[in-house]
Amino acid sequence: MILAAISKGLDEIGFSDHVCLKPVDWAIRMEDIPVMTRQILDLKQKYENQIQIRYGIEVDYFPGYEDELSDLIESIPVDYVIGSVHFIGDWNFDVDQSLYGKWSNDKLYEMYFGLIQQAAQSGLFDTIGHIDIIKKFRVYPETNQDKLFDDTIRIIKDYNLVVELNTGGMDRPCAEFTPGIKLLEMCYKHHVPVTLSSDAHRVEQIARHYESATAMLSHIGYTEIVGFNKRIRRMIRL
C-alpha cells in the first residue's frame, strides 16, 4: 500500500485499521495491536524520505463504554482517531441486512444519527467517519431529514470535530460518497472541516475517486482539507 501510494504521487498515507470492543472478524484483535503499532512505526521510519506515514485507528463508538474506549485510544500512539458507528444495539447494520425493515427508515436514521451525535459529544475522536453510512444498502429516509442532519452537523461543529469524506461509498451499493453532497454542503455552511479517505482495504483502492472528490469539495467551496500528526491538525490545500 505504501509503494502504491508513492507510485500514485501521494505525499501522505494513513493506516487506520478497525478497533472494536465487540469481537468481529473485520477488526484487529486486541492482542495484535502492539504488533500493528510496531510495524507501522518501523515503516514510518523506513519510508520517511519518500512519503509521510500516519498511524490512525477507526474506533467503533458504543454508548456507555466511553471510559473503556478512552483507555484503549490512550494506549496507542496514534496520529488521528476516526469515530464511527456500525452497530445499533447489537445489530451490525454495516454487514448484516436482516433487520432492515424492522423499523421505518426515518426511525432508523433517527437512531443512527443519534449515535453519531453521542459519538461527537464523547470527546474521544478527531474525525467522524463515513457519517451517513446508514445509506450503504440504498436505505433512505421516507421523509425529509434535513433538521436531523443539520442538528448533527451543528454538534460536530460545537465539539470541534472533522468530517471524513469517504470515497469508498462510490463502490458500495449506494454508489455515492459518504457523506453525499447535501451533508457536505451543510458541513461547509457550518464551517466544519473535512478530511479525505479512500477507505482502501486493498492496494488497488488507494486514493480511489480522489479526483472527483476534490472537484466536488472545490465546487462546494472548500479550499483545504485536514491532515493529522500526533492528533494535531494541519491544513492541506486542495
Side-chain angles (χ1 to χ4, degrees), residues 127-145:
T127 298
I128 296 295
H130 48 53
I131 189 172
D132 58 352
I133 194 67
I134 192 68
K135 72 185 180 188
K136 176 178 177 177
F137 295 110
R138 301 185 62 80
V139 174
Y140 302 105
E142 291 93 0
T143 63
N144 185 295
Q145 295 298 315

Side-chain angles (χ1 to χ4, degrees), residues 106-121:
D106 282 359
K107 180 62 177 177
L108 193 62
Y109 269 65
E110 178 188 330
M111 293 189 292
Y112 170 78
F113 278 95
L115 289 167
I116 290 289
Q117 292 175 13
Q118 289 181 66
Q121 291 166 326

Side-chain angles (χ1 to χ4, degrees), residues 11 17 20 54 66 76 95 100 167 171 176 187 220:
D11 297 321
D17 211 330
C20 185
R54 305 300 182 196
E66 288 82 1
I76 308 172
V95 297
Y100 285 106
T167 62
D171 299 322
E176 62 178 31
C187 289
I220 291 169

Side-chain angles (χ1 to χ4, degrees), residues 29-226:
R29 295 182 302 181
M30 295 299 171
E31 61 266 31
D32 290 333
I33 290 175
V35 178
M36 175 174 70
T37 298
R38 191 163 59 250
Q39 288 177 335
I40 291 176
L41 295 182
D42 286 349
L43 290 166
K44 183 183 282 198
Q45 188 173 23
K46 180 178 178 180
Y47 289 97
E48 63 184 351
N49 294 324
Q50 295 174 266
I51 192 169
Q52 291 293 319
I53 297 171
R54 305 300 182 196
Y55 182 11
I57 49 174
E58 180 180 350
V59 180
D60 268 87
Y61 174 72
F62 294 103
Y65 289 86
E66 288 82 1
D67 289 344
E68 291 90 335
L69 291 169
S70 178
D71 289 344
L72 177 60
I73 291 165
E74 290 300 317
S75 72
I76 308 172
V78 289
D79 291 308
Y80 60 95
V81 182
I82 303 168
S84 60
V85 172
H86 297 97
F87 286 86
I88 295 174
D90 290 325
W91 176 40
N92 181 2
F93 62 83
D94 188 40
V95 297
D96 174 12
Q97 298 185 55
S98 66
L99 294 187
Y100 285 106
K102 179 177 180 178
W103 306 274
S104 71
N105 291 353
D106 282 359
K107 180 62 177 177
L108 193 62
Y109 269 65
E110 178 188 330
M111 293 189 292
Y112 170 78
F113 278 95
L115 289 167
I116 290 289
Q117 292 175 13
Q118 289 181 66
Q121 291 166 326
S122 72
L124 293 167
F125 311 117
D126 304 305
T127 298
I128 296 295
H130 48 53
I131 189 172
D132 58 352
I133 194 67
I134 192 68
K135 72 185 180 188
K136 176 178 177 177
F137 295 110
R138 301 185 62 80
V139 174
Y140 302 105
E142 291 93 0
T143 63
N144 185 295
Q145 295 298 315
D146 284 0
K147 184 181 185 305
L148 177 64
F149 301 152
D150 197 73
D151 288 347
T152 303
I153 300 301
R154 286 176 184 273
I155 290 170
I156 288 171
K157 173 62 178 177
D158 288 345
Y159 283 83
N160 195 31
L161 288 164
V162 175
V163 163
E164 172 201 65
L165 169 51
N166 186 314
T167 62
M170 289 295 289
D171 299 322
R172 296 183 172 113
C174 60
E176 62 178 31
F177 295 136
T178 49
I181 190 166
K182 176 187 278 192
L183 277 169
L184 283 171
E185 288 175 338
M186 288 182 178
C187 289
Y188 183 74
K189 181 182 78 172
H190 291 300
H191 307 287
V192 172
V194 299
T195 190
L196 192 58
S197 165
S198 57
D199 202 343
H201 291 214
R202 300 191 303 275
V203 169
E204 61 269 21
Q205 295 173 337
I206 296 285
R208 56 180 161 171
H209 310 301
Y210 269 19
E211 287 188 9
S212 53
T214 54
M216 185 173 72
L217 288 173
S218 296
H219 173 75
I220 291 169
Y222 281 100
T223 59
E224 298 175 312
I225 57 174
V226 177

